[in-house]
Amino acid sequence: LGWACWKTYLGRAEADLCRMDAMRTLGSALLESQRTAEALQVHEANFTLAQRYFSHNRKFILIVQHHIAVCLMQLGRDDEALVLTRMIHASFVSIYGVSNEETICAGLHV
């Protein structure tokens, strides 16, 4: 299903949100299929595009980084994942404050 979603939106511009969401869906499907290294590559490519076209949307960037952190954890790269999840949580704290629901959820992953 993830691959079909990606193929549907592949022809759209790099900055198209549907295309980027299709990449996220593909990465998540690969992760669920235990193809973690491939999922990491997809999420890293999505992160590069997010930085290029949506650097103004900090929350979007943080969500993409969260997917990378999940892949790193699944690959046993715990030190890298921990650094990234701490940075994500700190960013949510600085954007939304400590009492925000999204900040608290981000803190659960640390």
Side-chain angles (χ1 to χ4, degrees):
L1 186 58
W3 186 251
C5 183
W6 169 243
K7 296 271 295 177
T8 300
Y9 295 103
L10 176 62
R12 293 192 179 196
E14 281 187 343
D16 185 272
L17 282 174
C18 290
R19 183 179 194 258
M20 294 187 75
D21 193 44
M23 284 183 78
R24 181 197 52 78
T25 302
L26 174 59
S28 296
L30 289 168
L31 186 62
E32 288 295 319
S33 300
Q34 306 301 314
R35 296 169 66 179
T36 312
E38 292 168 280
L40 178 60
Q41 290 177 338
V42 171
H43 287 307
E44 286 176 335
N46 205 17
F47 177 66
T48 299
L49 293 175
Q51 284 185 304
R52 184 178 305 148
Y53 298 111
F54 299 98
S55 60
H56 60 281
N57 188 338
R58 189 69 184 135
K59 182 180 175 183
F60 185 74
I61 299 288
L62 293 171
I63 291 169
V64 175
Q65 287 178 309
H66 168 73
H67 292 291
I68 292 171
V70 170
C71 290
L72 291 172
M73 283 186 258
Q74 292 291 323
L75 289 169
R77 294 165 58 181
D78 297 330
D79 292 340
E80 293 171 79
L82 182 59
V83 168
L84 189 54
T85 54
R86 285 180 175 165
M87 186 277 308
I88 293 166
H89 181 256
S91 295
F92 270 106
V93 168
S94 69
I95 295 168
Y96 300 109
V98 295
S99 299
N100 179 274
E101 182 180 341
E102 294 187 46
T103 301
I104 293 168
C105 288
L108 293 174
H109 296 287
V110 176

